[in-house]
Amino acid sequence: MRGVAGVDGWDCWDGEAVRAVVRVCEGATPAEAFDTASAGAWLAFDAGVRCMDDRPWLSHAPAGAPGRPGRSAPTLLDRLRGRRGSPLASPVPPPPPAVALCHPDGRVREAALEAVRSAPELRPLLVVRCADWATPVRERARTLLAELPGDALFPLAELVLRLARRERGGFARARLEAALREGPAAGVLALTARQDRATYRLAYRIAVERGLLTPMELAATAATSGDVTLQDLCADAAVAVRAEGGGPAPDPAVLDQLLTARSPRVRSAGVTALRRAGRCRDAEPYLADRSALVRACARYVLRQGGDDPLPRYRAWCAEAAERPAAAAGLGECGDRAVDAARLWALLEHPSPAVRLHAVTGLRALDAVVRERLTPLLDDPSPAVVRAATRALLPDAAGIPEPLLRERTAPDRPRAVRVAAERLLRAAGRHRWPGPARP
């Protein structure tokens, strides 16, 4: 089921939502009508009921509500004809509890909340009503939610966190966070395996606060996760825990796990932790890491240990093929008067990786010369072309326009055409397509 427009971006008349509402009105349970494990399906069902308020089976009002006894609710056809419904028709039976909990009439929703006490499968709708716009409905729903045991909210975590984005959705989230902090550890750890991003992030944050994960588990999560927020959380927590035995340094196995991660953010956390572990010299290989963040951390650690990274960079640039990123590192900490010539010489290197990092180093050293760098727009390596384009963008107006126009021809490699278009736009010379000719 997709969703309902106006409610978290769902389309009100989505066919699946309509079919689910009709099936529940015909006597099916929510579990038979739609995927009750999906927070989006519950939100779609909630808004779908309100979008179908012209249906006669949704027109039930609680006892004491205004209206004529024995008069059926007007159908859509009645309304189009200016009628109020047929007085001879039999009264409409009350809607099922799941439908009543989503009814457009707030009195119906409030009266239906009591059904949740004996129907745990309707608790997702109780959570929805905790963010209701009608104060009596919202307050009654919150009272009932507060009576539930804390771990009853764990299966509803995704729905709770989605509703927390709404103006009145903070109550259920506060209850969930309190339950996670005080509830069983197994429930918290189970939520870390959820696919929903907001859910597993919250679960990991609580697990870190409660110390439910070992440093190795945290390091493994940081090294394998593709979520940047989770990488930072787990990497920082892993190195913050002292090594076994109470020592001040992180466990060496934990550091090794972080240092071999693919993510630059995780590697940088491991490199920085080398200083606290008393292993400053072990940061030397990371001076030539492919990531600028990791290189900066490695230079910091070496300097804290009393070593100067600059002589290493200069020596490595003499054999740049072994450590291509050394050229970028030299530009990040070198002397323009002394080291710019080394980097210009590396632009002729046969390795594309070396040429790429040499351009990066020249940018960092603020030693870019437009006339000398423009030929790299024709480099056979797309990565080098992109790096040269970034370096030339600030001075794009100084590049001859015919030179760039020539490189937008269809027979040029795609990377060259894209680079030329970017530079033309940066110089204010881009030609927007005119109106189509008849």
Side-chain angles (χ1 to χ4, degrees):
M1 187 188 297
R2 294 201 299 274
V4 186
V7 182
D8 298 325
W10 300 94
D11 178 9
C12 174
W13 289 106
D14 171 63
E16 292 185 37
V18 172
R19 285 192 293 271
V21 174
V22 172
R23 288 196 63 193
V24 173
C25 290
E26 291 174 346
T29 64
E32 295 169 340
F34 58 90
D35 180 12
T36 54
S38 168
W42 283 107
L43 294 175
F45 179 82
D46 172 50
V49 172
R50 294 196 302 280
C51 287
M52 298 177 67
D53 59 352
D54 285 316
R55 306 283 176 153
W57 57 76
L58 301 179
S59 61
H60 171 70
R68 298 182 182 179
R71 180 182 294 272
S72 66
T75 64
L76 179 60
L77 184 60
D78 289 332
R79 292 186 180 186
L80 292 174
R81 291 176 176 175
R83 299 175 181 173
R84 295 186 176 181
S86 173
L88 301 177
S90 58
V92 178
V99 174
L101 283 165
C102 309
H103 198 280
D105 191 329
R107 295 162 299 181
V108 178
R109 297 197 303 276
E110 183 180 6
L113 286 170
E114 294 299 325
V116 180
R117 291 182 183 272
S118 57
E121 67 275 9
L122 297 180
R123 285 175 181 172
L125 293 177
L126 176 63
V127 174
V128 174
R129 298 282 69 85
C130 286
D132 200 280
W133 60 92
T135 302
V137 179
R138 185 171 67 250
E139 295 303 324
R140 182 57 183 157
R142 292 178 176 183
T143 300
L144 293 173
L145 188 72
E147 296 175 359
L148 297 178
D151 56 1
L153 290 177
F154 290 2
L156 309 175
E158 180 180 352
L159 179 61
V160 168
L161 294 175
R162 289 191 60 171
L163 288 167
R165 305 171 191 170
R166 298 186 182 178
E167 181 180 357
R168 305 174 184 88
F171 178 84
R173 181 189 176 103
R175 293 283 304 171
L176 174 63
E177 291 187 0
L180 289 171
R181 289 188 173 92
E182 301 169 2
V188 180
L189 296 177
L191 290 182
T192 62
R194 291 288 186 90
Q195 295 298 314
D196 179 63
R197 181 172 59 185
T199 302
Y200 70 68
R201 281 182 178 179
L202 176 62
Y204 267 106
R205 180 165 61 83
I206 300 297
V208 168
E209 291 177 5
R210 294 181 57 178
L212 302 180
L213 297 169
T214 65
M216 275 303 297
E217 290 172 333
L218 291 167
T221 300
T224 58
S225 174
D227 187 325
V228 173
T229 299
L230 197 59
Q231 291 172 2
D232 290 344
L233 173 68
C234 293
D236 292 343
V239 299
V241 179
R242 294 187 176 188
E244 186 177 356
D251 191 312
V254 171
L255 288 182
D256 292 341
Q257 179 81 46
L258 297 176
L259 291 170
T260 56
R262 292 188 62 184
S263 167
R265 302 173 74 94
V266 179
R267 292 200 306 278
S268 67
V271 170
T272 305
L274 289 172
R275 183 184 67 85
R276 189 155 58 93
R279 298 168 51 186
C280 292
R281 289 188 176 276
D282 290 346
E284 180 177 332
Y286 299 94
L287 289 172
D289 192 273
R290 61 184 180 275
S291 165
L293 175 63
V294 178
R295 293 194 298 269
C297 292
R299 289 194 295 271
Y300 163 77
V301 172
L302 277 178
R303 286 166 179 155
Q304 292 295 307
D307 289 338
D308 184 5
L310 185 55
R312 290 180 174 82
Y313 278 129
R314 288 170 174 166
W316 290 346
C317 283
E319 300 291 338
E322 297 179 7
R323 298 180 178 87
L330 179 61
E332 291 161 352
C333 69
D335 184 337
R336 185 192 311 173
V338 176
D339 298 311
R342 288 188 175 90
L343 295 178
W344 282 113
L346 292 178
L347 294 181
E348 305 295 332
H349 199 280
S351 170
V354 175
R355 297 197 301 274
L356 166 66
H357 288 292
V359 174
T360 303
L362 287 169
R363 287 184 64 202
L365 207 57
D366 195 19
V368 172
V369 178
R370 184 185 67 246
E371 293 79 4
R372 298 182 66 181
L373 206 58
T374 302
L376 286 183
L377 293 176
D378 296 320
D379 194 277
S381 168
V384 177
V385 173
R386 289 191 293 268
T389 304
R390 288 192 295 269
L392 290 169
L393 282 174
D395 200 16
I399 303 175
E401 183 175 357
L403 183 148
L404 296 177
R405 294 286 177 203
E406 180 184 354
R407 282 155 180 76
T408 61
D411 59 337
R412 293 291 184 134
R414 183 180 183 277
V416 175
R417 296 197 310 270
V418 171
E421 292 287 353
R422 286 186 67 187
L423 292 168
L424 285 169
R425 282 196 298 270
R429 300 168 180 168
H430 183 68
R431 295 175 183 172
W432 297 101
R437 295 183 178 179

